[in-house]
Amino acid sequence: MLLDHPSDGLAAIRTQFGAIFVSLELSRSTWLVTSLSPCKGDKMSKRSM
């Protein structure tokens, strides 16, 4: 098995990605945009439009 980071055991979900994740929640009155980037660690950014 190839690992991109050292690990003490097998994990069900890989936590180290070199990617930005974005989600959109759309409604008629407001939109909620959330993002998670590797440089900010575990902190998720939320914006309401």
Side-chain angles (χ1 to χ4, degrees), residues 1 3 5 7 10-11 13 15-16 19 31-32 36 46-47:
M1 174 193 289
L3 295 175
H5 63 284
S7 174
L10 296 176
I13 300 172
T15 58
Q16 297 293 324
W31 291 10
L32 179 64
L36 181 64
K46 295 180 184 181
R47 302 276 188 240

Side-chain angles (χ1 to χ4, degrees), residues 14-49:
R14 187 179 294 184
T15 58
Q16 297 293 324
F17 288 103
I20 297 172
F21 295 94
V22 178
S23 69
L24 298 171
E25 182 179 318
L26 308 175
S27 70
R28 291 180 187 256
S29 59
T30 60
W31 291 10
L32 179 64
V33 180
T34 60
S35 64
L36 181 64
S37 64
C39 63
K40 295 206 177 198
D42 293 334
K43 186 175 180 184
M44 184 179 292
S45 173
K46 295 180 184 181
R47 302 276 188 240
S48 181
M49 302 176 158

